[in-house]
């Protein structure tokens, strides 16, 4: 079973991962976006880590809801509302339970992904974070390692796609040949889930 400590660890690992990969995320974003995805995500997850240390929420749902709210208020561009929606919807789906199992987490993340798709209007294949998140959620019943592999595959698979949503879509065919930064940061978030579980 996964408790609030596990979810706090997940967010902390994610923050460390974003710190490590911020320059790569920004490099990817400089090719097809505003060249600020890495710094925006770094600022957001640094704030999440600080807030979780200060407020210590007591349930998995509270951890994700608080993290989502923090990302919305600190991350610039589209990423803040999209990541915030992902985590807040997932947190709401988990409710007040003090512990959840992996199947409940998978369902909650699916609710989060549905929220992101509704907010951003993106579907799989549009070269967005959905291309990493949707396959990860589908694979989650097979375990965290399977979800991580699916997210990473999905992120890499955005490279040959033409962007149909977000700022990259303005580039048309010039967006082809570049890995999507949002899908890449989403894969980091899912990889952090596996890392948090191995540290349990």
């Amino acid at each position: 079973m996964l408790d609030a400590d596990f979810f706090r660890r997940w967010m902390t690992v994610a923050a460390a991962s974003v710190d490590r990969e911020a320059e790569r995320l920004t490099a990817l974003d400089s090719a097809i976006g505003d060249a600020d995805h890495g710094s925006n995500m770094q600022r957001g997850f640094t704030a999440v880590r600080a807030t979780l240390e200060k407020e210590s929420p007591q349930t998995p749902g509270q951890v994700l809801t608080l993290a989502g709210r923090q990302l919305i208020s600190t991350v610039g561009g589209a990423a803040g509302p999209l990541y915030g929606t992902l985590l807040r919807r997932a947190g709401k789906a988990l409710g007040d339970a003090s512990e959840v199992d992996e199947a409940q987490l998978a369902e909650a993340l699916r609710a989060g992904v549905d929220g992101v798709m509704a907010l951003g209007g993106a579907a799989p294949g549009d070269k967005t974070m959905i291309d990493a998140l949707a396959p990860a959620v589908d694979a989650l019943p097979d375990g965290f390692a399977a979800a991580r592999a699916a997210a990473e595959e999905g992120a890499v698979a955005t490279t040959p796609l033409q962007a149909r949503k977000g700022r990259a879509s303005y580039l048309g065919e010039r967006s082809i040949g570049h890995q999507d930064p949002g899908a890449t940061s989403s894969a980091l978030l899912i990889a952090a889930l596996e890392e948090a579980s191995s540290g349990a």
Side-chain angles (χ1 to χ4, degrees):
M1 295 295 281
L2 310 170
D3 60 8
D5 281 345
F6 171 82
F7 281 81
R8 272 196 293 271
R9 192 161 62 246
W10 177 23
M11 292 296 109
T12 302
V13 170
S17 184
V18 167
D19 266 350
R20 268 197 317 272
E21 298 288 337
E23 282 185 21
R24 182 167 76 103
L25 293 175
T26 291
L28 290 172
D29 196 34
S30 68
I32 56 173
D34 289 336
D36 59 1
H37 189 62
S39 54
N40 282 343
M41 293 296 290
Q42 195 172 24
R43 184 170 63 248
F45 272 96
T46 298
V48 166
R49 187 165 43 195
T51 302
L52 291 176
E53 282 170 9
K54 194 171 65 186
E55 300 198 20
S56 48
Q58 297 303 302
T59 66
Q62 285 176 0
V63 172
L64 293 187
T65 303
L66 185 62
R69 199 180 308 135
Q70 201 60 42
L71 290 175
I72 288 172
S73 64
T74 54
V75 178
L82 293 169
Y83 270 99
T85 295
L86 173 71
L87 296 182
R88 286 176 65 186
R89 286 283 182 93
K92 188 178 176 189
L94 292 176
D96 297 325
S98 59
E99 292 184 325
V100 299
D101 61 24
E102 289 181 21
Q104 287 169 303
L105 173 57
E107 276 187 35
L109 285 175
R110 188 173 298 284
V113 169
D114 288 345
V116 172
M117 288 168 67
L119 179 64
D126 283 345
K127 198 179 181 99
T128 70
M129 61 196 289
I130 296 300
D131 290 311
L133 291 173
V137 170
D138 288 342
L140 199 50
D142 297 323
F144 292 136
R148 176 187 58 78
E152 288 172 356
E153 265 177 48
V156 171
T158 62
T159 304
L161 299 177
Q162 180 171 330
R164 291 200 288 262
K165 291 290 172 187
R167 183 164 288 277
S169 66
Y170 303 156
L171 296 175
E173 290 185 359
R174 283 182 296 142
S175 64
I176 294 170
H178 301 283
Q179 186 169 319
D180 182 67
T184 307
S185 59
S186 293
L188 293 179
L189 182 67
I190 300 299
L193 192 56
E194 187 199 13
E195 196 180 325
S197 69
S198 63

